[in-house]
Amino acid sequence: MKLIAFSACLTLATAFSPGNGQRLSSELSATVENASLIAPVIDATATSSIYDSNVQTTYGRYPLTIASGKGCKLFTTDGKDYLDFVSGIATCALGHAHPKLTEAIDNQMKTVHHVSNLYYIPAQAQLAKWLCDNSCADKAFFCNSGAEANEAAIKCARKHASNRGITKPVIITAKQSFHGRTLAALTATSQPKYHKGFSYGGEMVQGFESIEYNNSEELKAAVAKIAADPERGLAAIMMEPLQGEGGIIPGTVEFFATARKLADEQGALLICDEVQAGMGRTGSLWGHQNLDVEPDIFTSAKALGGGVPIGAMMARGDAASVFQPGDHASTYGGNPLACAAGLAVATAICEDNLLENVQERSKQLTDGLEALATKYPNVLGEVRGWGLLKGIVVKEGFTAGEIVGDAMKEGLLLVPAGPSVARFVPPLIVSEAEIDEALAKFEAAVAANAGGEN
């Protein structure tokens, strides 16, 4: 890059004076030869080519350029509209351009949008209180994403174990889980395909073991093995209440009761990753409430800010007092703008009866998907999930990616959950008519794959 060229000259002069000893003086001068800058390009029609030239290819993107959104609809630069059942991957809980969220962000920007956590932030305090008032948590820590929230949970579990005298703490997670892309969260994500290229000598971050999700006997065996090792100790059991990326697989009450019992027996923590399942998406405010269990720590992000980046780690009991000043921090965590967004989402959930809407629309969506599975048994299988976190199995001979691509052609945006599950995660404000519309578009996509053979 040759936008700015600097010429610098450093002159060192050393003088000795019998009366003053050694004196060192230095002079640094810099001149800017060319300070011309290139202004940002504001041209949506050039988006694709700019991506090819300037954005790293960490995503495989669909050929859509989004111009705007309203409610459950997205509009592209070429004039098409799509029913959005992706919601930024379970993030835009209030859909797009929601008046309450828009007003909250606008008002906050007109006052103060960011200050350091060196000071008290009213919106942060208010959001923390709402989270604790509506959960088993005592205190909250704020950050910027789900991965950061899970990193905070991992650090909290390790320090909690250290306080108990454990020098080699182990956290048990589930195979086919997903906890984020940062290094420790990625290690907790027990999917080897995500680890490739990021290990050291074939190993990821030490101190993690994984078992099959919902397998209580395997969990018991793993805990017993750790307990029998005098050099190691159980720090935490970390599970999603419902595996999202693993194929929309809900946890079982029995498995989570076992996890709670084992954690208590070992003096360890039970952590629930609520990044995708939390904030009302399952029909309860928190996914673990469907499992009749109280974790020591649970994490949130995605829908917490309705699309404005924010993450949180909530803790209760001993876990809530593990972190002390200097143990963990985040520059942007809990900033006024993000917390104003979080409060707007919280207000909408409470005032607009969103949990009731999720429950009603969930039944409607489930019934519709099951009817399609019956009508197209060669293509579709089991319907899974809770609330508006739903998946339908795509049978062998077809892929979820193909079905999702064909649904896009019909004007419906979906997202795969692994290679064989099509995921439905619409905004929590979705209407009865929009569910019907989505089912009709999805059937058209399925019929195109079925080729007339049910």
Side-chain angles (χ1 to χ4, degrees):
M1 180 171 156
K2 300 179 180 179
L3 299 180
I4 302 176
F6 288 93
S7 167
C9 175
L10 179 64
T11 303
L12 295 176
T14 304
F16 295 90
S17 169
N20 297 327
Q22 181 174 338
R23 183 181 68 206
L24 175 66
S25 65
S26 64
E27 180 179 301
L28 175 64
S29 64
T31 60
V32 180
E33 295 179 351
N34 182 3
S36 61
L37 298 175
I38 298 174
V41 176
I42 312 298
D43 179 10
T45 62
T47 298
S48 179
S49 62
I50 293 173
Y51 263 86
D52 292 341
S53 300
N54 300 117
V55 179
Q56 294 190 21
T57 53
T58 54
Y59 284 84
R61 291 180 169 84
Y62 294 106
L64 298 183
T65 302
I66 305 300
S68 64
K70 183 68 174 177
C72 295
K73 288 288 185 73
L74 285 172
F75 306 93
T76 59
T77 53
D78 59 357
K80 296 179 181 178
D81 62 88
Y82 293 84
L83 188 57
D84 182 14
F85 272 47
V86 176
S87 304
I89 310 185
T91 297
C92 299
L94 305 184
H96 307 284
H98 190 281
K100 287 183 179 178
L101 184 57
T102 300
E103 181 182 15
I105 293 171
D106 183 53
N107 289 341
Q108 193 62 55
M109 284 298 296
K110 290 175 180 177
T111 54
V112 58
H113 70 285
H114 178 76
V115 293
S116 169
N117 275 299
L118 293 171
Y119 316 110
Y120 291 110
I121 301 171
Q124 183 182 136
Q126 293 159 14
L127 182 57
K129 186 178 189 306
W130 183 83
L131 290 167
C132 294
D133 285 347
N134 291 280
S135 73
C136 61
D138 295 319
K139 292 185 178 181
F141 167 83
F142 291 102
C143 48
N144 310 289
S145 68
E148 287 184 34
N150 286 331
E151 286 278 346
I154 290 166
K155 285 183 68 175
C156 188
R158 282 197 167 192
K159 190 177 181 196
H160 183 269
S162 177
N163 291 345
R164 293 159 46 218
I166 296 173
T167 57
K168 292 186 176 181
V170 180
I171 296 175
I172 298 175
T173 65
K175 295 172 183 176
Q176 297 303 115
S177 61
F178 190 87
H179 299 291
R181 300 281 188 170
T182 52
L183 205 54
L186 190 65
T187 305
T189 297
S190 186
Q191 296 196 52
K193 66 181 181 181
Y194 292 127
H195 296 174
K196 187 178 180 181
F198 300 108
S199 64
Y200 180 85
E203 293 186 0
M204 297 292 285
V205 176
Q206 293 182 328
F208 290 89
E209 293 189 2
S210 61
I211 54 96
E212 182 183 352
Y213 191 60
N214 283 336
N215 189 325
S216 295
E217 294 307 311
E218 193 171 336
L219 178 59
K220 291 176 185 177
V223 171
K225 183 179 178 181
I226 294 167
D229 187 339
E231 293 188 350
R232 302 192 300 164
L234 182 66
I237 299 171
M238 182 177 185
M239 299 286 161
E240 299 160 276
L242 178 153
Q243 284 195 332
E245 303 300 320
I248 316 299
I249 302 172
T252 65
V253 171
E254 186 271 334
F255 176 72
F256 273 81
T258 300
R260 177 71 276 174
K261 182 174 183 291
L262 292 170
D264 289 341
E265 290 173 351
Q266 297 297 316
L269 303 178
L270 176 62
I271 301 171
C272 282
D273 178 347
E274 293 269 6
V275 170
Q276 185 164 188
M279 290 299 289
R281 180 147 294 277
T282 67
S284 299
L285 187 60
W286 306 110
H288 63 261
Q289 292 172 331
N290 296 293
L291 298 167
D292 194 27
V293 67
E294 287 191 347
D296 301 292
I297 293 174
F298 63 98
T299 57
S300 181
K302 286 188 179 289
L304 179 58
V308 175
I310 185 173
M313 180 202 73
M314 279 65 68
R316 70 181 180 98
D318 291 344
S321 59
V322 168
F323 282 158
Q324 296 299 310
D327 282 340
H328 199 49
S330 171
T331 296
Y332 293 108
N335 69 74
L337 183 65
C339 288
L343 287 168
V345 174
T347 299
I349 288 175
C350 294
E351 294 183 352
D352 299 344
N353 298 318
L354 289 192
L355 294 183
E356 181 180 347
N357 187 63
V358 170
Q359 294 160 12
E360 292 175 354
R361 301 288 73 76
S362 174
K363 184 180 186 308
Q364 180 189 0
L365 179 59
T366 301
D367 290 346
L369 290 175
E370 288 179 343
L372 291 178
T374 300
K375 187 173 182 180
Y376 301 96
N378 293 334
V379 182
L380 301 176
E382 179 188 8
V383 178
R384 302 172 179 167
W386 297 327
L388 291 176
L389 178 47
K390 287 290 184 182
I392 186 166
V393 173
V394 177
K395 290 189 174 180
E396 188 174 353
F398 308 91
T399 68
E402 291 169 343
I403 297 291
V404 167
D406 286 335
M408 184 182 298
K409 295 175 184 177
E410 300 296 332
L412 173 65
L413 301 182
L414 302 173
V415 60
S420 60
V421 176
R423 179 172 21 177
F424 292 71
V425 280
L428 307 189
I429 62 169
V430 68
S431 68
E432 180 179 0
E434 287 167 331
I435 293 288
D436 285 340
E437 181 183 352
L439 288 167
K441 292 177 182 295
F442 184 64
E443 179 173 9
V446 173
N449 281 270
E453 296 183 10
N454 296 347

